[in-house]
Amino acid sequence: MSGATSLIGAVVAVAGIGVAAQLLADRLQVPSVAFLLVAGVLVGPQGLGFVDPAQFGQAGLQAIVGLSVGIIVFEGAFHLTVERVREASREALGLVTVGALVSLVGTALAVRFVFATSWPVAVLVGSLLVATGPTVITPIMSVVPVRERVAAALETEGIINDVVAAVLAVATFEFVVAETASPLVVVEAFLARLLVGVLVGVLVGGAVALLPRYVSLSQDNATQNARLVVLTAALVAYAVGSSLLSEAGIAAAAVAGVVLGNADIPHESDVAEFKGGITVFVLSFVFVVLAALLSFSDLRALGLGGVAVVVVVIAVIRPLGVALSTIGGSMSARERVFVGVMGPRGIIPASVATLFAIELRPTNPRAATVLVGTVFLVIFATVIFQGGLARHIAQGLDILPTQTLVVGAGRVGTELADRFEARGEEVTLVDTDTDAVERARNEGYRVVNGDATDASTLESADAGRAGVVVAATADDDVNLLVAQLATTRFDVDTVVARANNPDNVEAFADLDVETISAGFAVADAIDDAIERPALSHWLADAGKTGDVLEVELRNESLADRSVDALTDSLPDGCLVAMVSAGGEDRVPDGEFVVSRGDHLTLVCETNTAMQSARRVLRGD
């Protein structure tokens, strides 16, 4: 009984420490993994000795870590939708192919020559450090609001490379423990596990996606049932895959997550929220346990060589891999630098390296020390420094985009969001109506569910970073309060409010915000359709074809040029229609000279040309 009591105490201690670390990380707005690692070391046998992972037993520890990793990988893959991958398809493809190969080869070379290990051990370490998982990338992206294409590329890389690293490491490990085997064992084992994982994942995910057609989930506890079915799918996919081939379960869980994430399953937003909570708890538990297993003697044994490998991995291999894999993509040079800096490692290398080291230590202690020591040194360095400094790095590179905040996720709000996003702007919708929020999310919009008249809701929507706030609800009182908060509390440069009742226009004018009266706007639209039909029809299709764009000229290389010379630097199909400077608007001729800081109004035939012109004039 005392053994059971001791084990229960250890479980409760680990869970409590993990939750405390998560709360502290949320409070400080930094990735929680850094706190979890430090907490695990402090309470483990090398620290205060409150938690000893040996209490779980080797088989029990493997089962706990394995199932936890399956849930975590499934959760990340569930958010890997087709739409999200398209945001950065070129860069994401490069990162999971060229970038992964550079990471594998570069890390293996560094380990081989610094520690004089065998090639199989060096490749094993390199395989594990390919992974930049969602457990560390997603928390960083939640506090560093970079452009969607950057976040999508990093998160897609993390999810796919987590699976690739785990499966490749297991295949390589078979070669390590059977040194007389042919290197083809690695290729065969890798492909076999990947194939089994894909087949199991598709079958489990497809079966669960089709389940609502045959089983009614419309009863009172339908949401709860949907959550349980999806969670069970994650566990079943992992368990079946692992039972067929070791570590094939990770690939199976990931594929099942992708299938269900792209299927139209009932109560999807509730399921995602529930899974997110489960994943946070599981992640906290596993990271603390794994960190408690870490031996300081392994780190000390590496000496300065360990530091050298970490520096090479972070400062040479990662930037080189990103530079090669993002050539010809849509990211700016500064965004590529940011991606090159962000390469934190997480749960996959930590868990797999720990389990491998346990098996290797009796027969090959040197290999076990190099494996677990190198992996955890890289994890600590990347998570603490890259995670902790990510926002400062993004600010230093000036890649945090000014976003547009639209309050009201109804027809007006979503139509505005479509138009802003067509221009390449970052848009967040805010609404209290849960049905409207769910519809908007299903259509691919980023939405915050909350009352925008509450400053805390606007803060969660990152209003402090907004360059434009649009109050577009059907309630003038709400629009008035939102406009007031945006101007006084968050000091937003441009605030536009919708006045549904013309009698309220004066109240908005007192706040010195741009006010659009619904009645007057309709009258203007009718007048335009009568007097300016061609322009009216073209503007009505704006967002589908082209649009009118006003942008500040910040690119110094284009300043002090004539409009004719400037036009030569713009994409085809873009025309400078107006120049605004010093409070005056002018329709320029070809000889008119523009200056830095002038506001140029462009007419562009296509959205692609418009977005390119914006980048050129801003100097992005």
Side-chain angles (χ1 to χ4, degrees):
M1 185 65 179
S2 61
T5 303
S6 176
L7 183 58
I8 291 172
V11 171
V12 172
V14 171
I17 293 165
V19 171
Q22 289 282 356
L23 294 176
L24 181 60
D26 287 343
R27 177 71 174 175
L28 299 178
Q29 286 198 319
V30 296
S32 60
V33 177
F35 289 99
L36 294 171
L37 288 172
V38 173
V41 172
L42 287 177
V43 301
Q46 299 287 309
L48 301 175
F50 292 158
V51 176
D52 185 359
Q55 293 174 281
F56 297 100
Q58 183 173 340
L61 186 62
Q62 287 178 328
I64 292 172
V65 171
L67 288 172
S68 299
V69 168
I71 292 173
I72 293 167
V73 170
F74 180 91
E75 159 70 14
F78 188 83
H79 296 286
L80 191 63
T81 60
V82 173
E83 293 78 10
R84 185 153 182 78
V85 173
R86 284 174 180 166
E87 289 285 345
S89 56
R90 172 64 182 80
E91 287 83 359
L93 179 61
L95 289 172
V96 301
T97 51
V98 176
L101 181 62
V102 170
S103 177
L104 170 62
V105 175
T107 304
L109 286 171
V111 171
R112 163 70 175 172
F113 290 108
V114 170
F115 299 124
T117 66
S118 65
W119 277 114
V121 172
V123 173
L124 178 60
V125 176
S127 301
L128 284 173
L129 291 180
V130 165
T132 59
T135 57
V136 282
I137 287 294
T138 301
I140 291 175
M141 292 300 96
S142 68
V143 297
V144 186
V146 293
R147 289 192 182 277
E148 190 68 13
R149 60 174 177 254
V150 178
L154 284 169
E155 292 179 359
T156 302
E157 177 198 21
I159 293 166
I160 294 177
N161 280 357
D162 248 8
V163 176
V164 171
V167 176
L168 183 58
V170 172
T172 306
F173 186 69
E174 290 194 2
F175 184 65
V176 171
V177 296
E179 294 183 351
T180 59
S182 166
L184 290 176
V185 169
V186 176
V187 177
E188 293 172 357
F190 175 77
L191 293 177
R193 283 163 175 78
L194 197 59
L195 179 60
V196 169
V198 170
L199 290 176
V200 171
V202 169
L203 290 174
V204 173
V208 173
L210 293 174
L211 186 62
R213 297 185 182 182
Y214 306 103
V215 179
S216 174
L217 295 177
S218 60
Q219 58 268 32
D220 293 338
N221 55 351
T223 300
Q224 176 180 318
N225 290 340
R227 291 170 174 172
L228 293 176
V229 166
V230 172
L231 177 60
T232 302
L235 298 174
V236 168
Y238 177 82
V240 173
S242 296
S243 67
L244 296 174
L245 277 176
S246 61
E247 301 306 323
I250 293 178
V255 173
V258 171
V259 171
L260 287 173
N262 287 276
D264 186 17
I265 62 175
H267 312 286
E268 184 173 352
S269 60
D270 292 318
V271 169
E273 184 178 352
F274 172 73
K275 288 193 302 81
I278 293 291
T279 300
V280 168
F281 180 81
V282 168
L283 174 66
S284 303
F285 187 90
V286 174
F287 250 120
V288 171
V289 171
L290 292 177
L293 279 168
L294 184 62
S295 172
F296 289 151
S297 61
D298 288 332
L299 301 182
R300 287 194 299 267
L302 299 182
L304 292 177
V307 176
V309 170
V310 169
V311 171
V312 170
V313 169
I314 295 175
V316 179
I317 297 172
R318 174 66 180 179
L320 176 62
V322 171
L324 294 175
S325 59
T326 57
I327 293 174
S330 60
M331 289 185 191
S332 66
R334 293 180 179 183
E335 289 171 338
R336 292 172 69 194
V337 171
F338 178 78
V339 174
V341 173
M342 290 296 110
R345 274 62 171 186
I347 189 69
I348 291 293
S351 59
V352 177
T354 301
L355 298 178
F356 283 175
I358 293 173
E359 294 186 42
L360 277 176
R361 203 170 295 280
T363 58
N364 195 342
R366 172 62 176 166
T369 297
V370 170
L371 172 63
V372 76
T374 304
V375 167
F376 270 92
L377 272 178
V378 172
I379 291 174
F380 269 106
T382 55
V383 166
I384 292 175
F385 291 105
Q386 295 178 349
L389 298 176
R391 191 177 186 100
H392 300 291
I393 294 170
Q395 289 172 337
L397 292 170
D398 193 25
I399 62 169
L400 297 180
T402 300
Q403 75 161 349
T404 298
L405 201 62
V406 179
V407 179
R411 291 183 179 179
V412 175
T414 53
E415 176 64 26
L416 285 172
D418 285 339
R419 297 189 178 209
F420 290 139
E421 289 183 346
R423 298 167 189 159
E425 299 179 18
E426 302 288 320
V427 184
T428 299
L429 295 166
V430 183
D431 207 308
T432 57
D433 187 336
T434 54
D435 291 335
V437 168
E438 186 168 357
R439 282 197 303 272
R441 283 177 177 163
N442 290 337
E443 292 172 10
Y445 301 104
R446 284 174 293 171
V447 193
V448 172
N449 189 359
D451 183 0
T453 62
D454 186 340
S456 63
T457 299
L458 292 180
E459 284 179 358
S460 66
D462 214 4
R465 192 172 57 90
V468 177
V469 170
V470 180
T473 75
D475 189 328
D476 283 357
D477 290 335
V478 170
N479 293 342
L480 187 63
L481 286 171
V482 169
Q484 187 174 22
L485 280 173
T487 54
T488 60
R489 177 75 176 267
F490 296 98
D491 196 26
V492 179
D493 292 335
T494 303
V495 180
V496 181
R498 169 186 174 185
N500 299 279
N501 186 343
D503 295 337
N504 294 329
V505 171
E506 286 189 21
F508 286 99
D510 291 340
L511 292 176
D512 195 25
V513 301
E514 187 73 26
T515 307
I516 306 298
S517 170
F520 295 157
V522 172
D524 286 342
I526 294 173
D527 185 43
D528 286 341
I530 296 171
E531 296 297 326
R532 295 165 286 277
L535 179 62
S536 175
H537 293 158
W538 187 78
L539 288 174
D541 288 334
K544 298 177 183 177
T545 53
D547 209 340
V548 177
L549 168 70
E550 181 176 326
V551 61
E552 180 181 351
L553 177 60
R554 301 177 190 169
N555 190 341
E556 293 185 1
S557 65
L558 299 180
D560 302 320
R561 291 191 184 186
S562 68
V563 169
D564 279 343
L566 177 68
T567 302
D568 291 338
S569 300
L570 295 177
D572 292 338
C574 285
L575 173 69
V576 180
M578 183 180 294
V579 178
S580 303
E584 295 185 359
D585 301 326
R586 177 169 177 175
V587 177
D589 56 24
E591 301 300 319
F592 184 85
V593 177
V594 297
S595 303
R596 190 174 188 276
D598 288 354
H599 283 249
L600 310 182
T601 300
L602 308 181
V603 178
C604 298
E605 291 182 349
T606 66
N607 287 327
T608 302
M610 179 180 62
Q611 293 176 22
S612 178
R614 183 196 299 273
R615 289 194 294 268
V616 168
L617 294 175
R618 287 181 174 177
D620 292 341

